[in-house]
Amino acid sequence: MTIFIVLLGPPGAGKGTQAKVVSKTLNVPHISSGDIFRENFNNQTSLGKVAQGYIQRGELVPDDITIAMVRDRLSKPDCAQGAILDGFPRTTAQAKALDNLLEEFSHAVDVVCYMKVPQAVLLERLTGRWTCREKGHIYHERNNPPKQRGLCDIDGSELYQREDDQVETVKRRIQVYFEQTAPLITYYQDRGLLVEVDGARSVGQVTDQLLTIAKRVQRKDDGA
């Protein structure tokens, strides 16, 4: 059976971390808008160049650019049995576009997990994050520090703080989220698809809750 899960939540909620674990357990791909953007950045596509400017300012990428990238990714064979969507949709317009995209492939969103985290926790998580230049491995100066300061444990490359992880940009990203993305909560609530998850708990506790939700959806679809 197929299962399409949307992970909804502000920057720093832990969507990427959870999506990797849940996708592996359910054996469906993790589709991250961030990864799709970076692939386009690295290939210097026209869409990538435009999107990069918005991200560096802590703003949302325009819908038509994002949707075009996601459409291409969902058309890949590994999405035939479902996917974990992380970072998309971010607006109600994107949510409606996602419905249309999945309908093209005879699928639909099965459940939306809203990872709720207090704003103070989000700031602490994001401003302490450092990224590996070589492969993008993520560290946190408090919660997951590297063995050697400033260097990646895995490939030894330099760690740097992305512009969108610096304090002022982080505050702007969170503000943009609550202004433009939070209405998705109402959108999915009205459709009976939203389930709230306490994203401030430990990684393992959040994972357990997400997998429980996924299994419940699968049983429902099976008619159990």
Side-chain angles (χ1 to χ4, degrees), residues 4 49 58 68 146-147 151 164 182 187:
F4 284 88
K49 290 176 182 178
K147 294 177 182 177
L151 296 177
D164 57 342
Y187 176 80

Side-chain angles (χ1 to χ4, degrees), residues 10 12-14 114-122 125 178 197-200:
Y114 171 45
M115 298 175 62
K116 189 174 182 180
V117 182
Q119 187 167 336
V121 175
L122 297 174
R125 286 180 179 179
F178 283 111
V197 175
D198 182 359

Side-chain angles (χ1 to χ4, degrees), residues 210-221:
L210 290 172
L211 290 175
T212 297
I213 292 168
K215 291 174 182 176
R216 185 166 63 241
V217 170
Q218 289 176 323
R219 286 196 301 269
K220 181 180 178 181
D221 288 347

